[in-house]
Amino acid sequence: MKFYSTNRNSQSVTFREALMKGLADDGGLYMPASIPKFDKGFFDRLNEFSFKEIAFLIAQKFIEDEIEEDDLKRIINEAINFPAPVVPLDDNISVLELFHGPTLAFKDFGARFMAKTMGHFISRENRGLNILVATSGDTGSAVANGFYNIPGINVFILFPKGKVSYIQEMQLTTLDGNVTALEIDGSFDDCQRLVKSAFVDTELNKQLNLSSANSINFARLLPQMFYYFEAFKQIENKTGEIFFCVPSGNLGNLTAGLIAKEMGLPISKFIAATNANTTFAEFVKNGRFVPRDSILTLSNAMDVGNPSNLARIQSLYSDNIELIREHIYSDSADDDVTADTIRRVYKNYKYVIDPHGAVGFYVTNFFLSTRQIKNYSAVILETAHPAKFADVIEKELNIKIELPERLKNCLGKEKKSVSLSSDYKEFKRYLFEKKNNN
Ligand SMILES: *Cc1c(COP(=O)(O)O)cnc(C)c1O
């Protein structure tokens, strides 16, 4: 399979190149040259396959012989080593819990798969790889965890000092080994500036093999297709219309679902739910894309004013807004509605939903209330564990939220980080010294 750039101004590349480069030279995002399809018989027999087997069959369609069958099976075994259960709330509505990975959010799927595939290719080369990531919290912990202990790869996570939550900081700073947490005296934007400066620094790149673990990497999108198939398999009633609701920010999760639909997965429509950052919802409604600065909300992993994967969605549907609307409905929920929904879901179903899932639940119900659909199944992606937002949940529900064991573990460990200023020269000097000591 070849991958083209959505800007159509650079050469097509292999899966390996798309993985290692992340972004195309012309600034575009990589998309598969064609969307592979499964025949209807496959979906009828889906019950016969385990989650890992489904994941393998999907991945193989995109990676083909670039990774040998046994190696790809091993990568999936190691990366997708936690379940994605569909939990019914009532006869028609269920949630797909995507938070059973090590850092309690769906980003574990993408980060772990990307890390293991990079590790696979690097193990065949005679030089190591250095990954630089700037994070405001969640992405960094998923990436750090995914790359932890992968031979030949060093990871440097830059986070703004004092500006991530206590739990996030502990997740970032207690891994050690091949993962180094760099505590930058500055803002998230400073962290991003340092990483970007390093990538364009020819002197540095001559000596260090640098790469990013960017969220726009196709290898992060690919494993997000797996769980749409896995969820479809678990839906009890497949006789009516089937809706998937995706709480959205940069639209990576939604794009993965849309590609799964193009592969033949029989989904009637996607419901894209945004918070008060309504750029995408407005685009679907009126066809105009007006990027904005993001605003802070309770569902902060969706605080995105200029969603990066829009180019992929436009490319998938040849920039045709009518076609986009055939596949996607989109609407939003603000913080008041989100808080109210957290209480309502707990009262009606005894289910503790996190703020991101709550946005999805509200928009799904609004969508359903505007149409007369009798026979349907709606699946809402629950993208994070409620314990990650314990302060919000405990305030709304007056209950105590237990931290899962895998999160408690890191809280007992010693924090290790390197403090740096936001000065690029200091950062560069640090990377050189690190290299010479290895
Ligand atoms: C990243 C994230 C989202 C948004 O996903 P996109 O792929 O960026 O649209 C939603 N919920 C949680 C918990 C996240 O971490």
Side-chain angles (χ1 to χ4, degrees):
M1 177 75 72
K2 287 280 188 176
F3 294 83
Y4 69 89
S5 158
T6 52
N7 281 354
R8 308 248 181 208
N9 221 342
S10 62
Q11 295 227 317
S12 288
V13 298
T14 60
F15 173 77
R16 183 190 169 283
E17 287 166 312
L19 165 72
M20 292 303 189
K21 286 170 82 85
L23 202 65
D25 291 333
D26 62 6
L29 312 191
Y30 285 119
M31 277 290 272
S34 66
I35 308 285
K37 303 235 189 287
F38 286 105
D39 54 31
K40 186 174 172 303
F42 172 71
F43 296 101
D44 295 338
R45 287 185 293 117
L46 213 49
N47 272 323
E48 297 166 21
F49 298 99
S50 70
F51 187 16
K52 284 175 178 171
E53 285 164 345
I54 291 172
F56 170 76
L57 292 170
I58 298 167
Q60 203 185 31
K61 286 211 181 273
F62 291 94
I63 299 173
E64 296 175 338
D65 58 3
E66 287 188 58
I67 300 179
E68 280 181 30
E69 211 171 296
D70 285 348
D71 288 325
L72 186 56
K73 281 187 177 149
R74 181 185 45 77
I75 288 170
I76 284 170
N77 246 327
E78 290 170 8
I80 313 298
N81 59 349
F82 49 93
V86 170
V87 177
L89 297 183
D90 63 23
D91 288 346
N92 299 111
I93 299 184
S94 40
V95 290
L96 168 61
E97 294 185 346
L98 298 176
F99 54 66
H100 292 277
T103 72
L104 312 190
F106 80 87
K107 292 195 172 66
D108 282 327
F109 285 97
R112 291 176 73 77
F113 184 81
M114 175 172 61
K116 309 275 178 211
T117 45
M118 276 187 177
H120 167 81
F121 287 117
I122 278 298
S123 71
R124 278 133 205 257
E125 293 177 15
N126 55 9
R127 58 177 191 164
L129 185 68
N130 296 287
I131 305 267
L132 307 180
V133 197
T135 185
S136 54
D138 271 1
T139 303
S141 55
V143 168
N145 235 283
F147 280 100
Y148 184 51
N149 276 341
I150 295 204
I153 302 186
N154 287 313
V155 185
F156 299 92
I157 309 266
L158 291 77
F159 70 97
K161 179 179 178 174
K163 296 193 179 71
V164 301
S165 77
Y166 174 68
I167 290 180
Q168 285 172 335
E169 181 163 327
M170 292 310 279
Q171 282 182 311
L172 292 173
T173 57
T174 54
L175 285 168
D176 211 18
N178 64 331
V179 177
T180 308
L182 302 178
E183 191 163 3
I184 304 297
D185 194 0
S187 64
F188 169 62
D189 291 333
D190 288 322
C191 298
Q192 243 178 343
R193 174 177 48 80
L194 292 177
V195 169
K196 282 188 181 154
S197 307
F199 284 131
V200 296
D201 184 328
T202 37
E203 189 192 8
L204 190 67
N205 280 273
K206 250 186 229 152
Q207 304 219 20
L208 293 175
N209 188 15
L210 294 181
S211 185
S212 75
N214 212 305
S215 66
I216 47 80
N217 199 306
F218 184 79
R220 274 180 62 166
L221 215 64
L222 176 54
Q224 293 177 20
M225 295 170 206
F226 304 163
Y227 47 71
Y228 287 96
F229 289 73
E230 171 67 9
F232 178 81
K233 177 180 99 181
Q234 295 174 61
I235 294 174
E236 291 271 338
N237 171 17
K238 297 190 182 73
T239 62
E241 295 204 56
I242 291 176
F243 304 109
F244 273 81
C245 173
V246 190
S248 294
N250 268 320
L251 305 172
N253 215 358
L254 177 67
T255 304
L258 295 169
I259 296 176
K261 187 171 192 279
E262 294 302 307
M263 293 176 82
L265 194 65
I267 297 171
S268 311
K269 210 173 184 97
F270 278 88
I271 302 166
T274 73
N275 59 26
N277 295 281
T278 58
T279 307
F280 185 67
E282 278 164 34
F283 166 73
V284 175
K285 277 186 192 152
N286 59 34
R288 278 196 309 275
F289 182 65
V290 187
R292 300 215 176 87
D293 287 341
S294 63
I295 52 177
L296 285 180
T297 75
L298 295 177
S299 46
N300 56 27
M302 290 154 53
D303 292 348
V304 178
N306 187 4
S308 50
N309 280 289
L310 184 74
R312 284 194 166 115
I313 295 177
Q314 287 176 310
S315 179
L316 193 60
Y317 300 122
S318 315
D319 228 339
N320 179 339
I321 187 71
E322 295 304 325
L323 201 54
I324 289 175
R325 285 187 191 127
E326 245 175 62
H327 294 275
I328 311 168
Y329 167 87
S330 185
D331 216 325
S332 61
D334 65 18
D335 273 359
D336 285 344
V337 169
T338 305
D340 187 59
T341 305
I342 291 172
R343 291 192 297 267
R344 196 152 56 93
V345 170
Y346 188 64
K347 181 164 166 276
N348 293 347
Y349 308 103
K350 282 278 163 282
Y351 187 83
V352 179
I353 201 161
D354 97 293
H356 303 80
V359 168
F361 185 90
Y362 174 81
V363 173
T364 300
N365 271 285
F366 183 79
F367 167 79
L368 293 167
S369 71
T370 60
R371 351 209 134 188
Q372 301 298 321
I373 308 163
K374 290 216 172 59
N375 188 12
Y376 68 89
S377 294
V379 180
I380 297 153
L381 274 58
E382 173 59 324
T383 49
H385 194 291
K388 283 194 117 165
F389 306 91
D391 48 343
V392 180
I393 309 284
E394 289 180 352
K395 174 167 163 278
E396 296 303 330
L397 301 183
N398 261 318
I399 56 170
K400 190 95 192 96
I401 302 277
E402 267 287 304
L403 282 184
E405 282 305 316
R406 56 197 189 282
L407 201 55
K408 271 191 207 155
N409 283 343
C410 77
L411 299 185
K413 289 189 190 148
E414 185 195 350
K415 173 182 164 179
K416 283 190 185 160
S417 68
V418 175
S419 294
L420 291 177
S421 75
S422 61
D423 176 41
Y424 178 66
K425 283 203 204 84
E426 188 183 336
F427 175 55
K428 181 171 171 177
R429 205 178 317 123
Y430 169 80
L431 289 176
F432 271 136
E433 274 169 20
K434 190 80 184 173
K435 174 184 184 277
N436 293 334
N437 292 339
N438 275 350

